[in-house]
Amino acid sequence: MRADTLTQPPKAPAPRSGLLRLIVMSIALGAASVASAQPAPAAAPIPAITPVIPSGGLLAPSLQAEPERPRSLLLLSAFLSAADTQPVRSGLKWRVFDEAAEADGSHKLVAESSAAAPSLSLPDGTYIVHAAMGLAGMTKRVIIAGQPTSERLVLNAGGLRIVAVLGDEPINPAKLTISIYVPERNNSEAKLILANAKAGDVIGLPEGTYHVVSTLLDTTGVGSLGQNRIANATNSLVSADLRVQAGKLTDATLRHRAAVMTLKLVDNPGGEALANSAFTILTPGGDVIRELIGAFPSVVLAEGEYVAIARHDNMTYQATFKVQSTQDRDVEILAK
């Protein structure tokens, strides 16, 4: 009996579309993995921003420019006395200070002038005005309020002019030193207010009484032991008590009485002066006036009597002599 063989029909091949899908998925996964393995591009840097902090901190108030105050003219003039009708024409020094005091108690200088009658443009406000002439001065409080202001200061002062003479001839101011004092009871030189007044100059002083001392300087002396060759004060001093009146000029003439003496140590009268000699000049009471060196030193001395001591080769010699005003001469000391 022939068996019928059942032949199974062949399986149809898997559709290609599934294989393609697998292949596409594999490629996609590979590409994703490669993409994830690569670093992301760097982001562009953000520029730094510096904060602006106001001076004094974040809580400090904002600064605003202070509005400028209106300005007005201040017209100034000075008079020596209340009765004067003409102002001072020269020699003035003006200073204007803010009335408000600084932290240290001082007052800010806002203007100054050397003009006789200055016109100053100043912001409106309150000021202290000071006028000075020599040693005289006056201060006044001034208010400026939106219009020109004129102020008159009375110095209550006068002028003092000193001239010194030797004989009948005026003395060169370079050969003098003049000191001015405010006297007190029993002390004419109680307070020195001016140490080097110049002869011939007009010195502004408050009204009052002054003690003036003029000292003649030895500017022609030879052989004096004065320090650094600076002109030495002599013993010729002239003093006077002078009254200065407000609004007036006081002229004073101080008369010196002195002469130049030239010392010589000689073997015989009229002989040659011995070199390498030293001299000391004393008053009759023994006070030392001056020490000198050289063959023939000279010195300015006030009128009067003196003792001269000469030293040479370990020997000492002495002589007395007299000085008469304006009579310059030689003084010989005999080496005997």
Side-chain angles (χ1 to χ4, degrees):
M1 176 172 171
R2 184 174 60 110
D4 293 333
T5 303
L6 296 176
T7 304
Q8 295 290 334
K11 290 182 180 182
R16 294 187 178 182
S17 60
L19 179 60
L20 289 176
R21 279 198 300 267
L22 290 174
I23 294 173
V24 170
M25 289 178 62
S26 298
I27 294 174
L29 290 173
S33 63
V34 171
S36 63
Q38 291 180 353
I46 300 174
I49 300 176
T50 303
V52 178
I53 301 176
S55 177
L58 293 173
L59 300 180
S62 59
L63 299 178
Q64 295 181 354
E66 183 179 344
E68 185 176 353
R69 289 183 291 169
R71 302 178 74 89
S72 302
L73 283 180
L74 175 61
L75 311 175
L76 299 172
S77 59
F79 295 79
L80 291 176
S81 71
D84 282 354
T85 58
Q86 296 297 321
V88 178
R89 302 288 187 186
S90 62
L92 287 169
K93 182 67 176 180
W94 296 91
R95 292 183 176 88
V96 181
F97 301 88
D98 197 329
E99 186 189 43
E102 301 286 320
D104 60 357
S106 64
H107 293 264
K108 181 181 178 182
L109 177 66
V110 296
E112 58 184 333
S113 175
S114 297
S119 298
L120 306 174
S121 176
L122 297 172
D124 289 357
T126 306
Y127 300 93
I128 298 172
V129 177
H130 181 264
M133 188 188 76
L135 299 178
M138 179 57 64
T139 300
K140 188 173 185 180
R141 182 174 179 265
V142 172
I143 298 176
I144 301 176
Q147 60 183 359
T149 303
S150 295
E151 292 293 341
R152 164 187 170 131
L153 275 69
V154 178
L155 300 175
N156 193 33
L160 176 61
R161 181 166 54 200
I162 301 169
V163 176
V165 298
L166 180 60
D168 294 326
E169 296 295 324
I171 300 174
N172 186 333
K175 295 182 179 181
L176 291 168
T177 179
I178 299 175
S179 301
I180 301 177
Y181 300 85
V182 173
E184 294 179 358
R185 175 177 284 187
N186 301 324
N187 184 3
S188 60
E189 299 180 3
K191 182 180 179 182
L192 176 65
I193 59 172
L194 187 59
N196 293 299
K198 187 176 180 181
D201 285 355
V202 175
I203 305 164
L205 293 169
E207 186 175 52
T209 300
Y210 299 90
H211 183 73
V212 178
V213 178
S214 172
T215 304
L216 185 62
L217 299 179
D218 187 0
T219 59
T220 60
V222 177
S224 172
L225 295 181
Q227 203 171 21
N228 298 326
R229 295 182 173 267
I230 296 175
N232 297 291
T234 71
N235 66 330
S236 179
L237 282 76
V238 181
S239 62
D241 292 323
L242 304 172
R243 175 73 180 172
V244 174
Q245 293 180 291
K248 295 184 178 180
L249 174 63
T250 301
D251 279 304
T253 300
L254 304 181
R255 193 174 300 276
H256 284 269
R257 301 185 64 81
V260 179
M261 299 288 106
T262 300
L263 304 181
K264 294 181 179 181
L265 179 63
V266 296
D267 289 323
N268 299 293
E272 191 73 21
L274 300 178
N276 302 319
S277 299
F279 301 87
T280 301
I281 301 175
L282 306 95
T283 66
D287 296 327
V288 176
I289 300 297
R290 186 67 60 85
E291 293 186 320
L292 310 103
I293 57 174
F296 40 85
S298 62
V299 61
V300 176
L301 295 171
E303 194 173 64
E305 293 185 357
Y306 298 90
V307 176
I309 297 176
R311 294 177 296 278
H312 179 76
D313 288 344
N314 296 321
M315 300 294 290
T316 301
Y317 311 95
Q318 180 175 317
T320 60
F321 64 97
K322 188 174 183 179
V323 176
Q324 292 182 313
S325 182
T326 70
Q327 302 298 310
D328 301 345
R329 67 183 184 89
D330 294 344
V331 175
E332 291 186 343
I333 305 170
L334 295 178
K336 293 182 180 179

